Amino acid sequence: MAATVQITFRDIPHSNSIETQVQRRAAKLDTFFDRIVSCHVVVAAPHRHHKQGRRYQVSIDMLVPGKELAVTHNLDDDKEDLHATVDNAFTDAERVLEEHCRKLKLGPKLTHQKPPHGVVTKLFSDRGYGFIEDGGREIYFHRNSVLNGKFDKLSVGAKVRYAEEDGDKGPQASTVHVVET
């Protein structure tokens, strides 16, 4: 996890095994949402005089850009231990992050963005690829990315619209549409 994880033990002694488990599970949260600013985990035994033995509570407070996400998991079962409570709390946190991510992607779009435009600057017809320049950046594209089989009709200087994605070696165009002038 890029952000540091703060762990607080409340009304229970510090446990290295619980701390290790929290660190491991917190690191996994980045796979659900990679822009977590901070993560604070509180491991507590809130009910000291409970008739049925020790009860535990794990609270996870995550700060993401523009929002605070919080999860609290209580020990529900006499068979459950503190390690299981930590795991269940992080499982809940993963669901909360997935939901937050889904809302970000499916939320209403405030402005309609036009696809990026560029100019073909390098073309290697014999090898089946080329490069588009857009704002001083070079974007790789492959023959199969050019729509309607127009790769063979491309030339240096042709204007194109494209959809960009991250490739193995940098930005690449996943779809290239030749702009007719």
Side-chain angles (χ1 to χ4, degrees):
M1 168 175 272
T4 56
V5 179
Q6 181 183 359
I7 305 168
T8 303
F9 289 89
R10 192 170 292 147
D11 296 326
I12 60 172
H14 179 271
S15 165
N16 287 335
S17 67
I18 293 296
E19 183 175 351
T20 301
Q21 181 183 14
V22 167
Q23 292 286 356
R24 181 180 51 81
R25 290 298 302 261
K28 186 179 173 191
L29 291 176
D30 271 346
T31 62
F32 294 89
F33 189 73
D34 62 353
R35 293 184 287 164
I36 299 171
V37 177
S38 69
C39 181
H40 183 207
V41 179
V42 177
V43 180
H47 304 292
R48 299 179 94 174
H49 303 292
H50 201 279
K51 292 179 182 179
Q52 296 176 333
R54 232 57 205 178
R55 295 286 186 200
Y56 298 105
Q57 182 181 67
V58 177
S59 301
I60 303 170
D61 187 33
M62 300 168 287
L63 186 61
V64 298
K67 193 159 186 155
E68 183 176 0
L69 306 173
V71 170
T72 299
H73 189 83
N74 294 301
L75 178 112
D76 293 332
D77 189 345
D78 290 336
K79 297 174 192 138
E80 190 173 329
D81 67 352
L82 183 53
H83 288 278
T85 305
V86 168
D87 279 338
N88 290 336
F90 274 97
T91 299
D92 292 347
E94 291 166 359
R95 269 195 297 272
V96 167
L97 285 172
E98 283 179 327
E99 177 69 16
H100 177 69
C101 210
R102 187 186 65 75
K103 285 180 181 177
L104 286 178
K105 291 180 182 173
L106 299 178
K109 293 184 180 176
L110 299 176
T111 59
H112 178 68
Q113 295 181 353
K114 292 183 179 181
H117 285 67
V119 176
V120 176
T121 56
K122 297 176 186 171
L123 192 61
F124 302 93
S125 299
D126 55 328
R127 296 182 187 162
Y129 70 93
F131 291 90
I132 300 167
E133 184 179 308
D134 183 8
R137 296 182 328 129
E138 260 192 351
I139 295 99
Y140 166 86
F141 70 94
H142 187 269
R143 162 188 297 279
N144 298 339
S145 300
V146 181
L147 296 176
N148 303 322
K150 293 188 176 182
F151 179 82
D152 294 325
K153 296 179 182 175
L154 274 178
S155 60
V156 172
K159 294 181 181 181
V160 295
R161 284 192 325 254
Y162 63 95
E164 184 178 331
E165 63 182 30
D166 290 331
D168 293 338
K169 297 180 181 179
Q172 73 179 39
S174 60
T175 310
V176 178
H177 177 77
V178 179
V179 177
E180 305 292 330
T181 55

